[in-house]
Amino acid sequence: MQPETALQQAAVSAVIDIPLAEAWRKLEDFSSAHNYVPRLTATDIVSEQKRGEGAHRRVYTGKSYLEETVVEWLEGRGFTIRLHKGEKPMPPFREAYFIYALSEEGDGSTRADLALQFAMPWGRLGSWLGGRITGPMSKQLVQVAAGMKHFYETGTPATNADRKRLAGAVSTAPASD
């Protein structure tokens, strides 16, 4: 049996100027990703379960979609979703997960930590390539976090201009190799 490769990661965080309980109410609405993730045009929950472990959605960019299934649910604090298409992981990854984590920041604010964890195929070459793509992934995560900040604070869907304006409020974490 081949040992599992450690997951690589790109991560960011942003402070959202709303209380944790309010941020959680918005995050647990599993149907709202298209309001803050760049290029998403719709979100459709395809499982009977609307929240919690096992909830399954499709996120669309035009007519194409990616599937996301909750694999871990931490009530009031966040969740982890597996990114896939059918039973196969999101290409080009061998496995891929998106993590949303919320924590109290003080003064009625919430810290949102977002991470994309992944394992590449192709052994050492894949690990090396994975290390090279964490920078571009972090830039995409900055856009997601900035859009999330805008949507959570205002209740209106984020535009590219909103994400650009708020990108400076997002901090990046060192990439893990």
Side-chain angles (χ1 to χ4, degrees), residues 103-129:
S103 58
E104 257 184 292
E105 184 62 19
D107 295 331
S109 295
T110 301
R111 176 170 297 284
D113 293 303
L114 310 180
L116 178 64
Q117 292 185 336
F118 61 93
M120 297 289 289
W122 316 305
R124 288 183 187 190
L125 173 61
S127 291
W128 180 82
L129 288 170

PDB file of all heavy atoms in Angstrom, residues 103-129:
ATOM      1  N   SER A 103     -13.869  32.313  13.630  1.00  0.00           N
ATOM      2  CA  SER A 103     -13.559  32.457  15.056  1.00  0.00           C
ATOM      3  C   SER A 103     -13.819  33.908  15.452  1.00  0.00           C
ATOM      4  O   SER A 103     -13.791  34.813  14.616  1.00  0.00           O
ATOM      5  CB  SER A 103     -12.106  32.062  15.343  1.00  0.00           C
ATOM      6  OG  SER A 103     -11.208  32.850  14.583  1.00  0.00           O
ATOM      7  N   GLU A 104     -14.076  34.089  16.748  1.00  0.00           N
ATOM      8  CA  GLU A 104     -14.309  35.438  17.249  1.00  0.00           C
ATOM      9  C   GLU A 104     -13.019  36.245  17.160  1.00  0.00           C
ATOM     10  O   GLU A 104     -11.942  35.752  17.504  1.00  0.00           O
ATOM     11  CB  GLU A 104     -14.780  35.393  18.709  1.00  0.00           C
ATOM     12  CG  GLU A 104     -16.247  35.631  18.824  1.00  0.00           C
ATOM     13  CD  GLU A 104     -16.699  35.691  20.262  1.00  0.00           C
ATOM     14  OE1 GLU A 104     -16.638  34.654  20.918  1.00  0.00           O
ATOM     15  OE2 GLU A 104     -17.107  36.786  20.680  1.00  0.00           O
ATOM     16  N   GLU A 105     -13.149  37.466  16.714  1.00  0.00           N
ATOM     17  CA  GLU A 105     -11.984  38.339  16.595  1.00  0.00           C
ATOM     18  C   GLU A 105     -12.011  39.408  17.675  1.00  0.00           C
ATOM     19  O   GLU A 105     -11.033  40.087  17.887  1.00  0.00           O
ATOM     20  CB  GLU A 105     -11.949  38.954  15.188  1.00  0.00           C
ATOM     21  CG  GLU A 105     -10.760  39.799  14.885  1.00  0.00           C
ATOM     22  CD  GLU A 105      -9.420  39.058  14.932  1.00  0.00           C
ATOM     23  OE1 GLU A 105      -9.385  37.827  14.856  1.00  0.00           O
ATOM     24  OE2 GLU A 105      -8.381  39.741  15.035  1.00  0.00           O
ATOM     25  N   GLY A 106     -13.112  39.574  18.356  1.00  0.00           N
ATOM     26  CA  GLY A 106     -13.234  40.631  19.366  1.00  0.00           C
ATOM     27  C   GLY A 106     -13.951  41.821  18.781  1.00  0.00           C
ATOM     28  O   GLY A 106     -14.028  41.985  17.558  1.00  0.00           O
ATOM     29  N   ASP A 107     -14.487  42.669  19.647  1.00  0.00           N
ATOM     30  CA  ASP A 107     -15.212  43.874  19.220  1.00  0.00           C
ATOM     31  C   ASP A 107     -16.319  43.564  18.216  1.00  0.00           C
ATOM     32  O   ASP A 107     -16.568  44.348  17.300  1.00  0.00           O
ATOM     33  CB  ASP A 107     -14.244  44.911  18.619  1.00  0.00           C
ATOM     34  CG  ASP A 107     -13.254  45.437  19.646  1.00  0.00           C
ATOM     35  OD1 ASP A 107     -13.615  45.467  20.846  1.00  0.00           O
ATOM     36  OD2 ASP A 107     -12.135  45.798  19.266  1.00  0.00           O
ATOM     37  N   GLY A 108     -16.975  42.399  18.345  1.00  0.00           N
ATOM     38  CA  GLY A 108     -18.081  42.064  17.461  1.00  0.00           C
ATOM     39  C   GLY A 108     -17.681  41.686  16.058  1.00  0.00           C
ATOM     40  O   GLY A 108     -18.511  41.708  15.153  1.00  0.00           O
ATOM     41  N   SER A 109     -16.412  41.332  15.862  1.00  0.00           N
ATOM     42  CA  SER A 109     -15.931  40.943  14.540  1.00  0.00           C
ATOM     43  C   SER A 109     -15.620  39.445  14.510  1.00  0.00           C
ATOM     44  O   SER A 109     -15.483  38.803  15.547  1.00  0.00           O
ATOM     45  CB  SER A 109     -14.676  41.727  14.171  1.00  0.00           C
ATOM     46  OG  SER A 109     -14.966  43.099  14.034  1.00  0.00           O
ATOM     47  N   THR A 110     -15.479  38.926  13.307  1.00  0.00           N
ATOM     48  CA  THR A 110     -15.218  37.504  13.082  1.00  0.00           C
ATOM     49  C   THR A 110     -14.018  37.344  12.156  1.00  0.00           C
ATOM     50  O   THR A 110     -13.918  38.048  11.155  1.00  0.00           O
ATOM     51  CB  THR A 110     -16.449  36.844  12.427  1.00  0.00           C
ATOM     52  OG1 THR A 110     -17.568  37.017  13.288  1.00  0.00           O
ATOM     53  CG2 THR A 110     -16.222  35.362  12.172  1.00  0.00           C
ATOM     54  N   ARG A 111     -13.141  36.421  12.501  1.00  0.00           N
ATOM     55  CA  ARG A 111     -12.037  36.060  11.597  1.00  0.00           C
ATOM     56  C   ARG A 111     -12.507  34.887  10.753  1.00  0.00           C
ATOM     57  O   ARG A 111     -12.967  33.872  11.281  1.00  0.00           O
ATOM     58  CB  ARG A 111     -10.781  35.669  12.361  1.00  0.00           C
ATOM     59  CG  ARG A 111      -9.657  35.186  11.415  1.00  0.00           C
ATOM     60  CD  ARG A 111      -8.324  35.030  12.104  1.00  0.00           C
ATOM     61  NE  ARG A 111      -7.838  36.298  12.598  1.00  0.00           N
ATOM     62  CZ  ARG A 111      -7.294  37.278  11.863  1.00  0.00           C
ATOM     63  NH1 ARG A 111      -7.196  37.129  10.559  1.00  0.00           N
ATOM     64  NH2 ARG A 111      -6.893  38.392  12.404  1.00  0.00           N
ATOM     65  N   ALA A 112     -12.384  35.031   9.446  1.00  0.00           N
ATOM     66  CA  ALA A 112     -12.676  33.950   8.506  1.00  0.00           C
ATOM     67  C   ALA A 112     -11.353  33.452   7.947  1.00  0.00           C
ATOM     68  O   ALA A 112     -10.609  34.216   7.332  1.00  0.00           O
ATOM     69  CB  ALA A 112     -13.574  34.443   7.379  1.00  0.00           C
ATOM     70  N   ASP A 113     -11.051  32.191   8.214  1.00  0.00           N
ATOM     71  CA  ASP A 113      -9.852  31.548   7.660  1.00  0.00           C
ATOM     72  C   ASP A 113     -10.314  30.603   6.562  1.00  0.00           C
ATOM     73  O   ASP A 113     -11.159  29.728   6.788  1.00  0.00           O
ATOM     74  CB  ASP A 113      -9.114  30.767   8.745  1.00  0.00           C
ATOM     75  CG  ASP A 113      -8.524  31.686   9.798  1.00  0.00           C
ATOM     76  OD1 ASP A 113      -7.736  32.573   9.434  1.00  0.00           O
ATOM     77  OD2 ASP A 113      -8.866  31.526  10.987  1.00  0.00           O
ATOM     78  N   LEU A 114      -9.779  30.788   5.371  1.00  0.00           N
ATOM     79  CA  LEU A 114     -10.121  29.970   4.218  1.00  0.00           C
ATOM     80  C   LEU A 114      -8.877  29.252   3.735  1.00  0.00           C
ATOM     81  O   LEU A 114      -7.802  29.843   3.674  1.00  0.00           O
ATOM     82  CB  LEU A 114     -10.661  30.833   3.077  1.00  0.00           C
ATOM     83  CG  LEU A 114     -11.777  31.824   3.400  1.00  0.00           C
ATOM     84  CD1 LEU A 114     -12.172  32.592   2.145  1.00  0.00           C
ATOM     85  CD2 LEU A 114     -12.967  31.121   4.000  1.00  0.00           C
ATOM     86  N   ALA A 115      -9.010  27.985   3.394  1.00  0.00           N
ATOM     87  CA  ALA A 115      -7.854  27.228   2.906  1.00  0.00           C
ATOM     88  C   ALA A 115      -8.288  26.257   1.821  1.00  0.00           C
ATOM     89  O   ALA A 115      -9.376  25.675   1.893  1.00  0.00           O
ATOM     90  CB  ALA A 115      -7.196  26.469   4.052  1.00  0.00           C
ATOM     91  N   LEU A 116      -7.437  26.096   0.843  1.00  0.00           N
ATOM     92  CA  LEU A 116      -7.583  25.049  -0.159  1.00  0.00           C
ATOM     93  C   LEU A 116      -6.473  24.049   0.121  1.00  0.00           C
ATOM     94  O   LEU A 116      -5.289  24.404   0.052  1.00  0.00           O
ATOM     95  CB  LEU A 116      -7.467  25.613  -1.573  1.00  0.00           C
ATOM     96  CG  LEU A 116      -7.567  24.569  -2.684  1.00  0.00           C
ATOM     97  CD1 LEU A 116      -8.952  23.916  -2.697  1.00  0.00           C
ATOM     98  CD2 LEU A 116      -7.279  25.191  -4.037  1.00  0.00           C
ATOM     99  N   GLN A 117      -6.851  22.841   0.481  1.00  0.00           N
ATOM    100  CA  GLN A 117      -5.883  21.774   0.721  1.00  0.00           C
ATOM    101  C   GLN A 117      -6.003  20.781  -0.419  1.00  0.00           C
ATOM    102  O   GLN A 117      -7.116  20.464  -0.851  1.00  0.00           O
ATOM    103  CB  GLN A 117      -6.150  21.062   2.046  1.00  0.00           C
ATOM    104  CG  GLN A 117      -5.891  21.931   3.241  1.00  0.00           C
ATOM    105  CD  GLN A 117      -6.054  21.168   4.540  1.00  0.00           C
ATOM    106  OE1 GLN A 117      -6.742  20.163   4.617  1.00  0.00           O
ATOM    107  NE2 GLN A 117      -5.420  21.673   5.582  1.00  0.00           N
ATOM    108  N   PHE A 118      -4.855  20.281  -0.875  1.00  0.00           N
ATOM    109  CA  PHE A 118      -4.881  19.418  -2.047  1.00  0.00           C
ATOM    110  C   PHE A 118      -3.691  18.472  -2.059  1.00  0.00           C
ATOM    111  O   PHE A 118      -2.672  18.712  -1.403  1.00  0.00           O
ATOM    112  CB  PHE A 118      -4.875  20.265  -3.327  1.00  0.00           C
ATOM    113  CG  PHE A 118      -3.649  21.133  -3.459  1.00  0.00           C
ATOM    114  CD1 PHE A 118      -2.535  20.692  -4.156  1.00  0.00           C
ATOM    115  CD2 PHE A 118      -3.607  22.383  -2.868  1.00  0.00           C
ATOM    116  CE1 PHE A 118      -1.403  21.492  -4.265  1.00  0.00           C
ATOM    117  CE2 PHE A 118      -2.476  23.185  -2.970  1.00  0.00           C
ATOM    118  CZ  PHE A 118      -1.366  22.734  -3.669  1.00  0.00           C
ATOM    119  N   ALA A 119      -3.850  17.403  -2.818  1.00  0.00           N
ATOM    120  CA  ALA A 119      -2.751  16.481  -3.115  1.00  0.00           C
ATOM    121  C   ALA A 119      -2.719  16.321  -4.625  1.00  0.00           C
ATOM    122  O   ALA A 119      -3.758  16.117  -5.260  1.00  0.00           O
ATOM    123  CB  ALA A 119      -2.967  15.126  -2.437  1.00  0.00           C
ATOM    124  N   MET A 120      -1.541  16.455  -5.166  1.00  0.00           N
ATOM    125  CA  MET A 120      -1.356  16.314  -6.608  1.00  0.00           C
ATOM    126  C   MET A 120      -1.044  14.856  -6.941  1.00  0.00           C
ATOM    127  O   MET A 120      -0.473  14.141  -6.124  1.00  0.00           O
ATOM    128  CB  MET A 120      -0.179  17.182  -7.076  1.00  0.00           C
ATOM    129  CG  MET A 120      -0.369  18.669  -6.886  1.00  0.00           C
ATOM    130  SD  MET A 120      -1.582  19.383  -7.995  1.00  0.00           S
ATOM    131  CE  MET A 120      -0.711  19.307  -9.553  1.00  0.00           C
ATOM    132  N   PRO A 121      -1.379  14.423  -8.153  1.00  0.00           N
ATOM    133  CA  PRO A 121      -0.896  13.121  -8.613  1.00  0.00           C
ATOM    134  C   PRO A 121       0.580  13.260  -9.008  1.00  0.00           C
ATOM    135  O   PRO A 121       1.158  14.329  -8.843  1.00  0.00           O
ATOM    136  CB  PRO A 121      -1.782  12.847  -9.831  1.00  0.00           C
ATOM    137  CG  PRO A 121      -2.169  14.198 -10.337  1.00  0.00           C
ATOM    138  CD  PRO A 121      -2.227  15.094  -9.120  1.00  0.00           C
ATOM    139  N   TRP A 122       1.181  12.233  -9.508  1.00  0.00           N
ATOM    140  CA  TRP A 122       2.516  12.230 -10.094  1.00  0.00           C
ATOM    141  C   TRP A 122       3.660  12.258  -9.086  1.00  0.00           C
ATOM    142  O   TRP A 122       4.756  12.720  -9.391  1.00  0.00           O
ATOM    143  CB  TRP A 122       2.710  13.367 -11.109  1.00  0.00           C
ATOM    144  CG  TRP A 122       1.563  13.545 -12.052  1.00  0.00           C
ATOM    145  CD1 TRP A 122       1.008  12.599 -12.867  1.00  0.00           C
ATOM    146  CD2 TRP A 122       0.808  14.723 -12.249  1.00  0.00           C
ATOM    147  NE1 TRP A 122      -0.051  13.125 -13.555  1.00  0.00           N
ATOM    148  CE2 TRP A 122      -0.197  14.441 -13.193  1.00  0.00           C
ATOM    149  CE3 TRP A 122       0.868  16.006 -11.717  1.00  0.00           C
ATOM    150  CZ2 TRP A 122      -1.115  15.382 -13.622  1.00  0.00           C
ATOM    151  CZ3 TRP A 122      -0.054  16.939 -12.142  1.00  0.00           C
ATOM    152  CH2 TRP A 122      -1.018  16.620 -13.089  1.00  0.00           C
ATOM    153  N   GLY A 123       3.410  11.813  -7.858  1.00  0.00           N
ATOM    154  CA  GLY A 123       4.497  11.642  -6.889  1.00  0.00           C
ATOM    155  C   GLY A 123       5.245  12.931  -6.573  1.00  0.00           C
ATOM    156  O   GLY A 123       4.649  13.982  -6.361  1.00  0.00           O
ATOM    157  N   ARG A 124       6.589  12.823  -6.576  1.00  0.00           N
ATOM    158  CA  ARG A 124       7.417  13.985  -6.231  1.00  0.00           C
ATOM    159  C   ARG A 124       7.249  15.135  -7.205  1.00  0.00           C
ATOM    160  O   ARG A 124       7.266  16.296  -6.806  1.00  0.00           O
ATOM    161  CB  ARG A 124       8.886  13.590  -6.148  1.00  0.00           C
ATOM    162  CG  ARG A 124       9.201  12.775  -4.940  1.00  0.00           C
ATOM    163  CD  ARG A 124      10.675  12.488  -4.868  1.00  0.00           C
ATOM    164  NE  ARG A 124      10.927  11.571  -3.778  1.00  0.00           N
ATOM    165  CZ  ARG A 124      12.118  11.267  -3.341  1.00  0.00           C
ATOM    166  NH1 ARG A 124      13.186  11.796  -3.899  1.00  0.00           N
ATOM    167  NH2 ARG A 124      12.257  10.433  -2.342  1.00  0.00           N
ATOM    168  N   LEU A 125       7.091  14.805  -8.477  1.00  0.00           N
ATOM    169  CA  LEU A 125       6.872  15.858  -9.475  1.00  0.00           C
ATOM    170  C   LEU A 125       5.581  16.609  -9.143  1.00  0.00           C
ATOM    171  O   LEU A 125       5.545  17.840  -9.174  1.00  0.00           O
ATOM    172  CB  LEU A 125       6.787  15.271 -10.887  1.00  0.00           C
ATOM    173  CG  LEU A 125       6.386  16.258 -11.986  1.00  0.00           C
ATOM    174  CD1 LEU A 125       7.402  17.399 -12.101  1.00  0.00           C
ATOM    175  CD2 LEU A 125       6.206  15.542 -13.319  1.00  0.00           C
ATOM    176  N   GLY A 126       4.535  15.873  -8.798  1.00  0.00           N
ATOM    177  CA  GLY A 126       3.274  16.508  -8.426  1.00  0.00           C
ATOM    178  C   GLY A 126       3.411  17.392  -7.193  1.00  0.00           C
ATOM    179  O   GLY A 126       2.864  18.490  -7.140  1.00  0.00           O
ATOM    180  N   SER A 127       4.159  16.910  -6.198  1.00  0.00           N
ATOM    181  CA  SER A 127       4.387  17.721  -4.988  1.00  0.00           C
ATOM    182  C   SER A 127       5.136  19.001  -5.337  1.00  0.00           C
ATOM    183  O   SER A 127       4.818  20.075  -4.824  1.00  0.00           O
ATOM    184  CB  SER A 127       5.176  16.931  -3.950  1.00  0.00           C
ATOM    185  OG  SER A 127       4.382  15.892  -3.450  1.00  0.00           O
ATOM    186  N   TRP A 128       6.121  18.882  -6.202  1.00  0.00           N
ATOM    187  CA  TRP A 128       6.881  20.053  -6.624  1.00  0.00           C
ATOM    188  C   TRP A 128       5.959  21.036  -7.356  1.00  0.00           C
ATOM    189  O   TRP A 128       5.956  22.233  -7.068  1.00  0.00           O
ATOM    190  CB  TRP A 128       8.046  19.630  -7.517  1.00  0.00           C
ATOM    191  CG  TRP A 128       8.873  20.773  -7.985  1.00  0.00           C
ATOM    192  CD1 TRP A 128       9.870  21.412  -7.313  1.00  0.00           C
ATOM    193  CD2 TRP A 128       8.750  21.447  -9.256  1.00  0.00           C
ATOM    194  NE1 TRP A 128      10.366  22.437  -8.072  1.00  0.00           N
ATOM    195  CE2 TRP A 128       9.705  22.478  -9.276  1.00  0.00           C
ATOM    196  CE3 TRP A 128       7.935  21.257 -10.358  1.00  0.00           C
ATOM    197  CZ2 TRP A 128       9.856  23.325 -10.358  1.00  0.00           C
ATOM    198  CZ3 TRP A 128       8.094  22.110 -11.441  1.00  0.00           C
ATOM    199  CH2 TRP A 128       9.050  23.124 -11.436  1.00  0.00           C
ATOM    200  N   LEU A 129       5.146  20.513  -8.292  1.00  0.00           N
ATOM    201  CA  LEU A 129       4.209  21.370  -9.019  1.00  0.00           C
ATOM    202  C   LEU A 129       3.201  22.007  -8.060  1.00  0.00           C
ATOM    203  O   LEU A 129       2.875  23.191  -8.189  1.00  0.00           O
ATOM    204  CB  LEU A 129       3.461  20.564 -10.086  1.00  0.00           C
ATOM    205  CG  LEU A 129       4.273  20.150 -11.303  1.00  0.00           C
ATOM    206  CD1 LEU A 129       3.480  19.169 -12.148  1.00  0.00           C
ATOM    207  CD2 LEU A 129       4.678  21.361 -12.117  1.00  0.00           C
TER     208      LEU A 129
END
